[in-house]
Amino acid sequence: MTEHIKIKQDDAILEIIFARPEKKNALSNAMYRAATEALGAAQSNQTIRVVLFGAEGDAFTAGNDLADFANAAAGKGEGLAAHDFIEALGRADKPIVAAVPGLAVGVGTTMLLHCDLVYLAETAKLSTPFVNLALVPEAASSMLLPARIGHVRAFAMFALGDGLSAAEAVALGLANRVLPKNAVLTAAREAARTLATRPLGAIVATKKLMRDRERILRRMDEEAAIFAQRLQTDEAREALKAFAERRQPDFTRLAS
Ligand code: COA
């Protein structure tokens, strides 16, 4: 277990809170494992009707812990726990609500594509700069993001690292509402409480009809295989080394 994920059941709502604000809630392997376990347990626990993701501090999450990526790239450590979390999101049949208090980078944004109601703080910014790290999109976002916002916008997010403001994200259908930062969690909890009063069987059936789960899971696996290969490239090693050394990466001398 890790103190960087806080899990709390409030009546029928299971809250999974990212609690590593000093690192912008970057998701370590231990955090992924705790969140995956909670998400899985929520599916089988009859008393839980809604899952709510939130975060402490001023960021939702800065994405995967880049030190874990660097270890995986160097063949050190225990491998990456992100994929199990992503797959659990893909498999989840109960409704998921997200309260996003600020920056959502990488998986912070791609996981929102698997949430059913999303509330953003005015200061939130969504970005998926996988190519900046010489990596590829995950969480089926290579399929889901272009489907939601169109190819060219999604490509600019993936390849140029362009971000979306909270207002843009709502206008593009990626989130429900923009709220003052201190009202986001309250709004998400209210929505979760309302959902919890609805007939769960009908909600689960509706969510199932709205998503092609098998296709999503297949794409997640395809992405994960390419992601793992990309991590072993000189490009990714340079990107991760540059982040650790607090400098801009230089890819110009590397062949494709
Ligand atoms: N993995 C590990 N540590 C991270 C992190 C990540 N993804 N994102 C931030 N941190 C750490 C920083 O190293 C820093 O640690 P330190 O105080 O020990 O030096 C701390 O969190 C605060 O981050 P900092 O960069 O100082 O804050 P900022 O407000 O200037 O910038 C970000 C915030 C998120 C824009 C910047 O940290 C960033 O670009 N992070 C990487 C995001 C990323 O590429 N994620 C993966 C996407 S696939």
Side-chain angles (χ1 to χ4, degrees), residues 146-165:
R148 298 274 280 275
I149 69 172
H151 177 90
V152 293
R153 282 197 198 93
F155 191 80
M157 289 186 73
F158 291 140
L160 300 178
D162 282 2
L164 295 177
S165 68

Side-chain angles (χ1 to χ4, degrees), residues 114-153:
H114 300 277
C115 296
D116 303 294
L117 294 172
V118 176
Y119 299 90
L120 301 179
E122 288 156 342
T123 46
K125 190 172 167 204
L126 309 190
S127 68
T128 53
F130 295 107
V131 171
N132 288 354
L133 292 170
L135 298 171
V136 291
E138 33 71 323
S141 62
S142 62
M143 179 174 88
L144 298 174
L145 193 61
R148 298 274 280 275
I149 69 172
H151 177 90
V152 293
R153 282 197 198 93

Side-chain angles (χ1 to χ4, degrees), residues 152-208:
V152 293
R153 282 197 198 93
F155 191 80
M157 289 186 73
F158 291 140
L160 300 178
D162 282 2
L164 295 177
S165 68
E168 286 169 328
V170 169
L172 290 168
L174 293 175
N176 296 83
R177 284 176 67 192
V178 184
L179 297 129
K181 182 177 175 293
N182 60 9
V184 175
L185 187 56
T186 308
R189 281 178 171 151
E190 258 172 43
R193 273 196 292 273
T194 305
L195 275 180
T197 66
R198 298 294 194 263
L200 183 60
I203 290 202
V204 168
T206 299
K207 179 166 171 160
K208 194 171 173 195

Side-chain angles (χ1 to χ4, degrees), residues 50-67:
V50 184
V51 174
L52 186 151
F53 280 103
E56 292 184 355
D58 62 1
F60 183 54
T61 168
N64 205 108
D65 189 311
L66 292 181

